Amino acid sequence: MDPEVLVLVLSELLVLSLDKGAEVDRAEKDGVTPLYVSCKNGHFDAARLLLDNGAEVDRANKDGATPLFVACCNGHVDAAKLLLDKGAEADRADKHGRTPLDAAKHFNHDALVVLLEDSKFPLHAAARTGDVDAMTQLLEGGVVVDAKKDGATPLFVACEKGHVNAAK
């Protein structure tokens, strides 16, 4: 069967199951939930549907691995971004003390490393791109102005990238 057709069929089955009252967070013996499996396999649409129907964003398996952790292990940037946007804890460690950032670094998923670091240091991310509006909102919201990421402050990052207005 064509993979695209299979994805459509599975999506329809998921919608029907949820419509019939399926438990969105029902876990297997090892604690694996439908959201975990969706994120592990990079099925963004299924993950979004599950989250929109009340799936717990940080529900971990028996080893403490969350959907965000497993998405980062497998290089699924879209799934990780979705989870972060829905409030996933970027620093939550599994039972071995490994975080999603550790997993992304271990498996050399550079785009995920940037995404996770930007979620931890949003002022640095805004300074890097020169997004003055975002910087203003973050500063008004009480973000730490002199937080250091790899030894650099947001001011340093803005100057390094030549964003004069962001440095002001």
Side-chain angles (χ1 to χ4, degrees):
M1 179 179 272
D2 179 1
E4 290 181 22
V5 172
L6 182 59
V7 168
L8 289 173
V9 169
L10 292 174
S11 295
E12 288 299 317
L13 286 173
L14 178 58
V15 170
L16 286 171
S17 295
L18 291 171
D19 286 347
K20 296 289 184 185
E23 294 177 47
V24 73
D25 278 329
R26 185 175 180 122
E28 299 293 323
K29 284 192 292 186
D30 57 1
V32 171
T33 63
L35 180 61
Y36 182 97
V37 171
S38 296
C39 293
K40 177 181 179 183
N41 295 307
H43 298 306
F44 175 83
D45 290 332
R48 186 182 63 223
L49 182 63
L50 290 163
L51 288 163
D52 288 347
N53 280 276
E56 186 181 333
V57 71
D58 281 323
R59 178 128 179 218
N61 69 6
K62 69 178 177 118
D63 295 320
T66 63
L68 179 60
F69 183 88
V70 76
C72 291
C73 287
N74 292 290
H76 300 303
V77 177
D78 289 341
K81 183 165 180 11
L82 172 69
L83 294 164
L84 289 168
D85 289 347
K86 295 289 187 173
E89 294 179 45
D91 290 334
R92 185 165 171 182
D94 69 2
K95 289 185 178 178
H96 305 285
R98 300 171 302 192
T99 65
L101 181 59
D102 295 332
K105 286 180 177 179
H106 178 78
F107 292 106
N108 298 312
H109 298 305
D110 296 335
L112 282 165
V113 171
V114 170
L115 176 69
L116 292 164
E117 287 180 344
D118 284 354
S119 76
K120 289 175 62 174
F121 297 98
L123 191 57
H124 287 76
R128 186 177 63 248
T129 60
D131 189 341
V132 176
D133 291 336
M135 291 179 73
T136 301
Q137 288 178 357
L138 289 164
L139 290 167
E140 288 174 354
V143 72
V144 178
V145 69
D146 286 330
K148 291 185 178 178
K149 175 185 171 194
D150 299 327
T153 64
L155 176 61
F156 180 88
V157 172
C159 291
E160 178 182 50
K161 296 295 182 183
H163 299 301
V164 176
N165 289 334
K168 290 179 181 179

Short mmCIF file of all heavy atoms in Angstrom, two decimals, residues 44 47 63 86 91-92 103 122 141 151 155:
data_model
loop_
_atom_site.label_atom_id
_atom_site.label_comp_id
_atom_site.label_asym_id
_atom_site.label_seq_id
_atom_site.Cartn_x
_atom_site.Cartn_y
_atom_site.Cartn_z
N PHE A 44 3.36 13.63 12.96
CA PHE A 44 2.97 14.95 13.46
C PHE A 44 1.45 15.12 13.55
O PHE A 44 0.94 15.58 14.56
CB PHE A 44 3.57 16.03 12.54
CG PHE A 44 3.13 17.42 12.87
CD1 PHE A 44 3.77 18.13 13.86
CD2 PHE A 44 2.08 18.01 12.18
CE1 PHE A 44 3.36 19.42 14.18
CE2 PHE A 44 1.67 19.29 12.49
CZ PHE A 44 2.31 20.00 13.49
N ALA A 47 0.00 13.18 16.39
CA ALA A 47 0.38 13.80 17.67
C ALA A 47 -0.48 15.03 17.94
O ALA A 47 -0.98 15.23 19.04
CB ALA A 47 1.87 14.16 17.66
N ASP A 63 10.46 4.22 31.90
CA ASP A 63 11.84 4.66 32.05
C ASP A 63 11.96 6.17 32.21
O ASP A 63 13.07 6.71 32.26
CB ASP A 63 12.67 4.22 30.84
CG ASP A 63 12.79 2.71 30.77
OD1 ASP A 63 12.95 2.07 31.82
OD2 ASP A 63 12.70 2.17 29.65
N LYS A 86 3.02 23.11 22.99
CA LYS A 86 1.92 22.67 23.86
C LYS A 86 2.35 22.60 25.33
O LYS A 86 1.61 22.10 26.16
CB LYS A 86 1.40 21.30 23.41
CG LYS A 86 0.75 21.32 22.04
CD LYS A 86 -0.58 22.04 22.06
CE LYS A 86 -1.30 21.89 20.74
NZ LYS A 86 -2.66 22.43 20.78
N ASP A 91 13.39 20.43 29.90
CA ASP A 91 14.47 19.97 30.79
C ASP A 91 14.14 18.70 31.56
O ASP A 91 14.92 18.27 32.41
CB ASP A 91 14.83 21.07 31.80
CG ASP A 91 15.53 22.24 31.15
OD1 ASP A 91 16.16 22.05 30.10
OD2 ASP A 91 15.44 23.35 31.69
N ARG A 92 13.02 18.10 31.30
CA ARG A 92 12.61 16.92 32.06
C ARG A 92 13.50 15.72 31.70
O ARG A 92 13.61 15.33 30.55
CB ARG A 92 11.16 16.59 31.78
CG ARG A 92 10.66 15.46 32.64
CD ARG A 92 9.18 15.39 32.62
NE ARG A 92 8.73 14.19 33.28
CZ ARG A 92 7.47 13.85 33.39
NH1 ARG A 92 6.53 14.63 32.90
NH2 ARG A 92 7.13 12.75 34.00
N ALA A 103 19.66 13.94 24.43
CA ALA A 103 19.36 12.97 23.37
C ALA A 103 19.64 13.58 22.00
O ALA A 103 20.24 12.93 21.13
CB ALA A 103 17.91 12.51 23.46
N PRO A 122 15.09 32.06 25.12
CA PRO A 122 14.34 32.75 24.07
C PRO A 122 14.87 34.15 23.76
O PRO A 122 14.79 34.59 22.61
CB PRO A 122 12.91 32.80 24.63
CG PRO A 122 13.08 32.67 26.12
CD PRO A 122 14.28 31.80 26.31
N GLY A 141 8.07 40.69 30.01
CA GLY A 141 7.58 39.53 30.73
C GLY A 141 8.49 39.06 31.85
O GLY A 141 8.18 38.12 32.57
N GLY A 151 28.38 31.34 27.52
CA GLY A 151 29.20 32.50 27.90
C GLY A 151 28.76 33.81 27.30
O GLY A 151 29.35 34.85 27.58
N LEU A 155 22.80 40.59 24.57
CA LEU A 155 23.42 41.78 23.99
C LEU A 155 24.60 41.40 23.10
O LEU A 155 24.75 41.89 21.98
CB LEU A 155 23.86 42.75 25.08
CG LEU A 155 24.60 44.00 24.60
CD1 LEU A 155 23.72 44.83 23.67
CD2 LEU A 155 25.05 44.83 25.80
#
